[in-house]
Amino acid sequence: MPYDLVITNGTVATAADVFKADIGIHDGRIVQIGGDMGSATRVIDAAGKYVLPGGIDSHVHIAQPSGPGIVMADDFDSATRAAAFGGNTTVMPFCLQERGQSLTTAFRDYRQKAEGAHVDFGFHMIVTDPTPQVLGQELPALIEEGQRSVKVFMSYEAMRLDDAGILATMDVARRHGAKVMVHCENEDVIAFLAARAAEAGDLAPRAHATTRPVAAEREATHRALTLAEVVDVPIVIVHVSNGAAIDEIARARARGVNITAETCPQYLVLEANDLSRENWEGAKFVCSPPPRDTAEQKNCWLGLQSGLFDLFSSDHCPFRYDDAQGKRNPEGLRSFRHIPNGIPGIETRLPILFSEGVMKGRIDLTRFVALTSTNHARAYDMYPQKGTIAIGADADITIWDPQIRRTIKHSDLHDASDYSPYEGFEVTGWPETVILRGVPIVEGGMMTAKAIGTEVLRRGA
Ligand code: DUC
Ligand code: ZN
Ligand code: ZN
C-alpha cells in the first residue's frame, strides 16, 4: 500500500516509550511504525527531531460570553489556529449554559460556533442552572450522546452552584457515566476580601491575588473532593495552583476518590508579583486562581514530577488588554473587580513545558507526552484514537525541533488577544510541523493546509 505520508529518521515518544522509528500514514491513520515503508506520496525527514502525539489541550475557553460589554478575544477560527501553531491537534473548549438557558440550546450554539475550527475538538458542558429540566432530561441526554464531562463552578456569582446544586449535578453525572470538573475557590471568602479591599481603596490588579488566597482554593478543593466522595463520582480538579490544594488531592486519592488533577503554565512561571506591574500592566496576569509565589511554583513542579498531576492544560481564556484594564465597568472606576479573569496561552502551553520541563531536565519526554496529550485523551474518552502514536490511531502528530530558541512575543502568536502574559519569556524547543489526521497543517511557521477540525466522538477504548 503506498502511504500518503511517511515520517522518517525521527525520535518517537509516547507516554511509555522513546524509540527511533519511521511512521507510515494512510487515510488519516497511523498504519505502520518501523520496518520497511515502501513508497509514499510525501516523506518528511525528522532527523534530529522529536515525533510526538499532537498536543491535546483539554481546558480552553473559546467564544464564551464574559459579562456586560466584554467578549472573549478569540472565536474558534483564531483560537484553533493558535492552538495548531502551538503544536495542538485537539482542543476541548467549554459549552457555557447561561442561567435561564437550556443546556441543549447552549450546546447546539457552541457546536455551530465551532464549525470551521482548524483542529479537532470536543466539548465540556458548564452547568450554571441545574433545573429539573436540565438535570432530569437535558444533561442525561447529552451525556448519553457522548458529552461525558461536566464543569461546575464554586466561584463567580453568575455561574456558581451551591453544594446542593453540585451534589445534584454530580449525582446525574455518576448515574450516566460522566466526570465532573470543578473550579475550586470559595466565593464567599473572595467576596468578603474583595469588599474589604475595595473599602480600603485597594483597587489595583494585585488585589485580585490577595483577595483569592490559597486558603480559599484549599477549602473549596477539600469540599469539592468531599462532595465527589459522597456521591462517588469521578472528579477533575482543574487549574490547581498550590501545595495545600495538592495535599488535599493526595489525601482524597489515598481515601479512594477517583481524581484527575490539572495544573497550567501560569502556576509554573508566573507569580502574584506580576500583578503588581506598573501602569496597570498587572492586569495582564489576572486569572483565577491567581499565580502564587516561587514556593508554590515548586510545589506544582513536584506534582508534575510525582504523577500527582495528570493534566497540563492552558486554561486559555483570552481577553484584550483594553478590557483587561477594567475600564468598562458600571462605576467608571478602574478596579481589579472589573478585570475579566483569564489569560491567553493556547499557543505557548507546550513550548513552556517542553522548555522548562524537558529541556531543563525536570521531566522526561514520556511524562511530557502524558501530561500534554495521552492523559487528556484517556481522561476524556478519546484514547486510543487520540493521544498516542500507535497503529490505528489518528495520525495527529507534532514534530518538535529541540534546538530552536525563541523569545515569546505576542506579535508572533496567532490568537486574537493583543498581549501575552509570557511576553519576553525564552524557550528552547518549538513545534515545527503539526499534522492533523495525516495532513500537515503547520509547517515552517505557516499554516499550509486548510485544516478541517471535526468533533471527536468520545467513545474511549
Ligand atoms: N476559570 C477558568 O477555568 N478559566 C478562566 C477563568 C476561571 O476562573
Ligand atoms: Zn475555572
Ligand atoms: Zn478555565
Side-chain angles (χ1 to χ4, degrees):
M1 158 181 45
Y3 296 118
D4 302 325
L5 176 64
V6 167
I7 303 167
T8 58
N9 302 318
T11 299
V12 179
T14 66
D17 232 347
V18 181
F19 53 96
K20 290 241 178 212
D22 296 349
I23 294 178
I25 294 163
H26 183 69
D27 243 353
R29 302 261 175 112
I30 296 169
V31 291
Q32 190 175 334
I33 301 173
D36 182 11
M37 288 290 158
S39 67
T41 308
R42 164 125 199 242
V43 175
I44 295 179
D45 184 359
K49 314 275 167 68
Y50 291 132
V51 179
L52 309 185
I56 301 176
D57 195 344
S58 64
H59 185 155
V60 301
H61 301 265
I62 305 174
Q64 243 180 256
S66 305
I70 295 181
V71 288
M72 223 160 245
D74 278 316
D75 58 15
F76 276 79
D77 178 55
S78 56
T80 59
R81 182 186 305 273
F85 275 99
N88 300 283
T89 49
T90 302
V91 295
M92 300 192 73
F94 294 91
C95 153
L96 169 68
Q97 177 210 18
E98 294 179 69
R99 291 222 174 113
Q101 193 187 23
S102 138
L103 185 60
T104 315
T105 307
F107 192 64
R108 195 198 52 215
D109 291 351
Y110 276 85
R111 260 198 176 138
Q112 233 163 39
K113 291 189 212 186
E115 276 173 25
H118 299 283
V119 298
D120 285 352
F121 56 89
F123 286 101
H124 312 291
M125 291 165 297
I126 298 177
V127 173
T128 62
D129 202 358
T131 60
Q133 167 76 15
V134 168
L135 292 190
Q137 290 159 46
E138 297 185 355
L139 185 56
L142 285 163
I143 297 172
E144 298 292 338
E145 183 196 301
Q147 312 308 324
R148 289 153 53 99
S149 42
V150 182
K151 184 175 179 191
V152 296
F153 282 79
M154 297 174 114
S155 177
Y156 298 120
E157 222 27 80
M159 294 202 283
R160 72 149 152 170
L161 303 188
D162 60 14
D163 289 357
I166 295 172
L167 286 162
T169 306
M170 284 181 166
D171 193 40
V172 174
R174 181 190 61 80
R175 281 189 278 118
H176 295 273
K179 293 192 153 73
V180 181
M181 309 163 77
V182 189
H183 176 120
C184 301
E185 288 184 297
N186 181 315
E187 179 63 20
D188 289 334
V189 168
I190 294 164
F192 168 78
L193 293 175
R196 206 166 71 177
E199 266 168 40
D202 180 11
L203 297 179
R206 177 59 191 246
H208 172 79
T210 49
T211 59
R212 301 184 94 99
V214 163
E217 185 182 342
R218 183 198 64 222
E219 183 280 331
T221 304
H222 176 80
R223 188 156 35 98
L225 291 166
T226 303
L227 302 182
E229 183 179 351
V230 167
V231 174
D232 191 21
V233 69
I235 184 170
V236 184
I237 305 292
V238 294
H239 49 47
V240 175
S241 73
N242 68 84
I246 286 172
D247 290 345
E248 295 294 344
I249 291 167
R251 271 197 288 275
R253 260 199 192 132
R255 296 196 297 274
V257 183
N258 181 340
I259 307 165
T260 304
E262 176 198 81
T263 192
C264 312
Q266 47 270 42
Y267 308 118
L268 300 183
V269 301
L270 301 180
E271 294 187 18
N273 279 342
D274 288 314
L275 279 78
S276 302
R277 293 201 196 173
E278 286 180 345
N279 299 325
W280 215 260
E281 288 276 316
K284 293 180 177 176
F285 305 89
V286 166
C287 57
S288 294
R292 306 292 184 184
D293 59 19
T294 47
E296 300 297 8
Q297 290 176 344
K298 281 201 187 103
N299 288 330
C300 290
W301 275 113
L302 286 174
L304 289 170
Q305 290 162 333
S306 70
L308 181 125
F309 286 120
D310 307 285
L311 306 177
F312 186 75
S313 309
S314 69
D315 196 2
H316 179 73
C317 189
F319 297 100
R320 294 188 185 85
Y321 184 46
D322 204 29
D323 288 331
Q325 290 194 67
K327 285 180 192 160
R328 297 188 197 174
N329 67 75
E331 300 113 57
L333 193 69
R334 278 212 309 191
S335 162
F336 74 95
R337 297 172 100 172
H338 303 297
I339 302 172
N341 289 196
I343 53 177
I346 204 165
E347 193 169 343
T348 46
R349 169 187 75 126
L350 295 174
I352 287 171
L353 189 65
F354 189 88
S355 183
E356 290 293 303
V358 179
M359 297 309 287
K360 292 197 174 169
R362 290 177 167 121
I363 57 170
D364 66 19
L365 207 50
T366 59
R367 185 104 192 97
F368 176 81
V369 171
L371 285 164
T372 58
S373 180
T374 313
N375 292 352
H376 300 252
R378 285 190 193 278
Y380 298 117
D381 305 298
M382 301 183 291
Y383 187 88
Q385 180 193 348
K386 302 285 189 194
T388 193
I389 292 184
I391 289 177
D394 283 359
D396 294 343
I397 292 173
T398 299
I399 303 177
W400 284 76
D401 184 340
Q403 308 293 338
I404 297 183
R405 296 172 74 94
R406 278 182 69 161
T407 303
I408 293 174
K409 294 196 200 98
H410 187 265
S411 53
D412 294 335
L413 302 176
H414 299 82
D415 62 70
S417 182
D418 52 4
Y419 70 93
S420 167
Y422 307 106
E423 188 78 21
F425 196 85
E426 305 211 341
V427 292
T428 305
W430 199 264
E432 184 182 70
T433 303
V434 182
I435 298 165
L436 176 67
R437 282 179 279 107
V439 179
I441 57 172
V442 171
E443 284 183 279
M446 307 282 287
M447 194 157 243
T448 45
K450 172 82 185 93
I452 306 292
T454 58
E455 192 173 344
V456 186
L457 297 173
R458 293 161 62 190
R459 280 183 294 240

